Amino acid sequence: MKLLHILGRVALGAPFIVMGWGAATEPGPRVKAAEDFGVPEPELAVRINGGAMVAGGAALAVGVLPRAAATGLALALVPTTLAGHPFWKHDDPAMKANHRIQFLKNLAMAGGLLAYATRD
């Protein structure tokens, strides 16, 4: 059972490491989404959020303060999801569907992180 627990932590942390690294090093269109969301210094905010996701994902994956890492990652997903995937703002059905999928994926990840952070 311990092996499955470790594998689960690694699987949950890995996407944050990969996607966070991308946001930190190549913020690209995320900057516009952050700007549209009203975030001050949007490029810096995207890079910092990406770095935080890398750190949190790595901490979770290797088991360093994993509950705190899971809590931090869940909190970081809130602005990321609201700014990056506002499916309710899109008229194009394909764009709306894509953003809804990403929104729900992030919601599921946040749920898994919160379940991990609050487990007995």
Side-chain angles (χ1 to χ4, degrees):
M1 211 45 149
K2 184 168 173 86
L3 177 62
L4 290 179
H5 179 78
I6 292 168
L7 290 174
R9 266 197 348 250
V10 171
L12 194 51
F16 291 98
I17 296 167
V18 173
M19 292 185 296
W21 181 260
T25 60
E26 296 287 333
R30 296 174 191 93
V31 174
K32 175 82 168 99
E35 185 177 41
D36 291 348
F37 196 64
V39 174
E41 298 292 332
E43 182 173 345
L44 179 61
V46 168
R47 288 182 188 272
I48 289 171
N49 189 49
M53 287 187 173
V54 170
L60 180 61
V62 300
V64 175
L65 298 173
R67 289 182 183 196
T71 301
L73 289 169
L75 291 173
L77 274 174
V78 173
T80 298
T81 303
L82 293 174
H85 305 294
F87 64 89
W88 54 90
K89 291 184 176 181
H90 293 279
D91 294 324
D92 175 37
M95 287 291 287
K96 186 180 209 90
N98 181 52
H99 281 285
R100 183 181 298 121
I101 288 168
Q102 295 305 314
F103 185 96
L104 292 172
K105 181 255 316 165
N106 284 6
L107 181 63
M109 290 175 71
L113 290 163
L114 291 174
Y116 185 90
T118 60
R119 74 181 183 7
D120 292 331

